[in-house]
């Protein structure tokens, strides 16, 4: 049988003399030369019968098998046929493999290639066992940073050293950790079919702690309350109180917490503390921003330096307040005194103590302003307003300003409208530009009249 393949790309065709030389080398004598020429012309890449050759078993090709000690690899070693000998066919090779108990991982593509391009006297890998696939251990994936690392935020080429994002806030119902189940894996097999057991993945447990629980399917840890999430002793916990054992400075950075904040020191200038609960400060407060939905309690005083701002959703308690702006949804209670500050309270502003005094600034309360002394003999201007909610008063002032502004804008606008209306009566038709102007003036007039009606 003769097979001739066509050239690939810029490859050359094989010549007739080269083919005849190969046929002669194999010891084939009784063949049809015309059929050989036809095969060279068609180049169909298929075997074609060109003649016959007598059997010569002694000259035939033979094969042997080598098997690795772990029975994972089998090698085939072919010996070339002598002149007039036959090649091994695929069925004969498969029988040799079978007789050597090679049943798994036989490389059919390698065997088929060896038929056309045999490699003699070299071990060729013809079968390979299947390695076991070990199972994967169960793993817990945390949705928060479990390492005690500080992450600096860079914006416009500048690093913000105050917003360190140390506190990791979570809300009730938030998923804090997810468990990926272990897998069993798959067993392997040797070339003879022997089973190779795999390692099954190990399981692990979810460890919920304070204010957390495991979901019904046992695959997630969920927060029960708002607060700071921590991995403590291998357990996931949520702390409702964030405690700073010292001052709030560059080491701590700004604080934003969905719970209560306790600071066992002071707050240095330029930092902010915001909490969804209460803020309790055992030291003093400088030029800072404090914002709490609950109470704000300051053991020492506030020295705002005309830039400090404190806002509370309930009450504010402090020893003294100096040069700061303060807002409380309920009351402000001061032990010693208030100096040159602006304080708004929906209910009351109360200064108690032997030296209770309000000196300078502006106090506004809905119900009561109480102090032993208000103002000073030096004539420092001190304003106190009582009887209306400061926020409502502020809103009223804004509406009054809006009303005055609307009156001022409406008067010249009405004059322009009147002029255009008179021109329209005389000329009957205005130019497109004036028509557009007239339309805009009418629209603005209606808007201003709506504002005035609303603010009456």
């Amino acid at each position: 049988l003769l097979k001739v393949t066509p050239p690939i790309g810029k490859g050359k065709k094989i010549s007739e003399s080269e083919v005849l030389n190969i046929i002669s080398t194999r010891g084939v004598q009784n063949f049809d030369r015309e059929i050989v020429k036809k095969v060279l012309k068609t180049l169909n890449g298929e075997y074609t019968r060109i003649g016959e050759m007598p059997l010569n078993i002694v000259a035939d090709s033979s094969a042997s098998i080598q098997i690795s000690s772990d029975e994972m690899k089998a090698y085939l070693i072919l010996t070339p046929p002598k002149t007039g000998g036959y090649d091994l066919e695929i069925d004969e090779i498969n029988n040799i493999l079978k007789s050597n108990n090679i049943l798994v991982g036989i490389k059919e593509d390698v065997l088929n290639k060896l038929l056309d391009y045999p490699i003699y006297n070299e071990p060729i890998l013809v079968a390979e066992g299947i390695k076991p696939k070990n199972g994967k251990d169960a793993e817990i994936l945390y949705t928060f940073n479990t390492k005690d690392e500080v992450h600096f935020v860079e914006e416009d080429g500048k690093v913000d050293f105050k917003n360190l994002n140390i506190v990791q806030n979570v809300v009730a119902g938030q998923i804090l950790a997810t468990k990926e189940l272990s897998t069993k894996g798959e067993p392997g097999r040797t070339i003879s079919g022997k089973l190779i057991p795999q390692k099954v993945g190990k399981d692990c447990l979810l460890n919920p702690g304070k204010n957390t629980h495991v979901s019904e399917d046992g695959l997630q840890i969920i927060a029960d309350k708002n607060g700071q999430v921590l991995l403590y002793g291998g357990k996931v916990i949520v702390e409702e109180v964030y405690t700073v054992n010292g001052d709030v400075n560059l080491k701590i950075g700004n604080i934003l917490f969905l719970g209560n904040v306790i600071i066992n020191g002071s707050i240095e200038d330029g930092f902010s503390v915001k909490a969804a609960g209460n803020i309790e400060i055992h030291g003093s407060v400088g030029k800072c921003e404090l914002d709490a939905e609950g109470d704000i309690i300051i053991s020492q005083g506030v020295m705002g330096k005309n830039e400090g701002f404190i806002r509370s959703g309930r009450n504010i308690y402090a020893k003294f307040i100096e040069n700061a702006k303060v807002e409380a949804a309920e009351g402000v209670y001061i032990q010693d005194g208030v100096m040159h500050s602006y304080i708004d309270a929906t209910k009351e502003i109360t200064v108690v103590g032997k030296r209770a005094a309000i000196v300078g600034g502006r106090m506004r309360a809905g119900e009561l302003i109480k102090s032993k002394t208000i103002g000073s003999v030096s004539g420092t201007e001190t304003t106190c307003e009582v009887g209306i909610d400061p926020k409502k008063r502020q809103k009223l002032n804004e509406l009054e300003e809006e009303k005055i502004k609307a009156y001022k804008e409406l008067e010249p606008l009405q004059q322009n409208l009147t002029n255009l209306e008179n021109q329209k009566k005389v000329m009957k038709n205005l130019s497109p530009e004036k028509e557009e102007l007239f339309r805009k003036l009418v629209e603005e007039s209606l808007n201003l009249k709506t504002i005035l009606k609303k603010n009456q």
Side-chain angles (χ1 to χ4, degrees), residues 22-63:
I22 294 170
I23 295 172
S24 175
T25 303
R26 294 302 304 271
V28 181
Q29 296 178 356
N30 186 18
F31 66 94
D32 191 328
R33 193 159 182 168
E34 291 302 318
I35 296 178
V36 172
K37 291 180 180 180
K38 186 176 180 181
V39 172
L40 280 168
K41 186 176 181 181
T42 57
L43 299 175
N44 60 12
E46 296 179 359
Y47 280 105
T48 303
R49 183 187 181 94
I50 60 171
E52 295 181 355
M53 194 168 70
L55 292 174
N56 186 359
I57 297 174
V58 178
D60 288 348
S61 175
S62 62

Side-chain angles (χ1 to χ4, degrees), residues 99-239:
S99 64
N100 282 274
N101 203 26
I102 300 170
L103 308 172
V104 175
I106 297 173
K107 299 179 181 293
E108 300 291 346
D109 55 335
V110 174
L111 296 180
N112 291 327
K113 189 174 181 180
L114 284 174
L115 294 178
D116 289 342
Y117 307 101
I119 300 173
Y120 298 113
N121 299 321
E122 289 184 20
I124 307 299
L125 183 65
V126 292
E128 195 167 7
I130 301 170
K131 294 181 179 179
K133 293 181 180 179
N134 294 329
K136 182 183 177 183
D137 292 344
E139 185 179 5
I140 297 175
L141 304 177
Y142 298 97
T143 60
F144 59 95
N145 183 21
T146 59
K147 298 178 181 178
D148 189 14
E149 296 177 344
V150 175
H151 299 281
F152 295 105
V153 178
E154 184 175 345
E155 187 174 346
D156 298 330
K158 297 180 180 179
V159 177
D160 188 348
F161 290 100
K162 292 182 180 179
N163 292 312
L164 305 182
N165 300 315
I166 293 175
V167 179
Q168 297 186 81
N169 288 297
V170 295
V171 296
Q174 184 172 334
I175 297 170
L176 308 178
T178 302
K179 176 181 175 180
E180 285 192 354
L181 295 174
S182 62
T183 59
K184 292 183 178 180
E186 297 177 6
R189 289 188 181 273
T190 65
I191 55 176
S192 62
K194 292 179 183 177
L195 200 66
I196 305 174
Q198 80 279 22
K199 289 183 180 179
V200 178
K202 296 178 181 179
D203 194 14
C204 66
L205 296 175
L206 287 171
N207 291 319
K210 181 180 177 182
N211 296 324
T212 64
H213 71 276
V214 176
S215 58
E216 291 183 4
D217 59 9
L219 298 179
Q220 294 174 333
I221 294 179
I222 299 173
D224 291 333
K225 296 184 178 180
N226 297 351
Q228 178 188 18
V229 62
L230 298 168
L231 185 63
Y232 186 75
K235 291 186 176 182
V236 178
I237 65 172
V238 174
E239 287 286 359

Side-chain angles (χ1 to χ4, degrees), residues 254-282:
N254 294 333
I255 296 173
L256 174 63
F257 187 59
L258 298 178
N260 299 326
V261 176
I262 297 176
I263 299 168
N264 291 322
S266 300
I267 305 178
E268 295 183 3
D269 290 348
F271 290 90
S272 68
V273 178
K274 299 179 181 180
N278 302 329
I279 297 176
E280 184 177 340
I281 303 159
H282 294 169

Side-chain angles (χ1 to χ4, degrees), residues 279-342:
I279 297 176
E280 184 177 340
I281 303 159
H282 294 169
S284 60
V285 174
K287 184 177 66 178
C288 308
E289 180 182 358
L290 303 182
D291 195 337
E293 296 301 318
D295 295 331
I296 296 178
I297 304 165
I298 305 168
S299 298
Q300 300 300 316
V302 178
M303 293 168 285
K305 300 176 184 177
N306 296 320
E307 293 184 32
F309 175 72
I310 301 172
R311 190 201 71 83
S312 170
R314 286 193 296 202
N315 300 301
I316 296 173
Y317 305 87
K319 191 172 184 181
F320 66 87
I321 295 178
E322 181 179 328
N323 295 307
K325 184 178 180 182
V326 178
E327 294 179 5
E330 294 183 12
V332 177
Y333 304 93
I334 312 300
Q335 181 178 338
D336 289 344
V338 178
M339 295 183 64
H340 309 291
S341 296
Y342 293 81

Side-chain angles (χ1 to χ4, degrees), residues 411-429:
E411 187 176 350
L413 190 146
Q414 288 284 55
Q415 291 178 358
N416 290 332
L417 266 176
T418 302
N419 292 334
L420 286 173
E421 285 174 349
N422 292 334
Q423 289 182 33
K424 205 170 184 181
K425 288 177 182 178
V426 175
M427 302 175 65
K428 293 186 179 180
N429 292 317

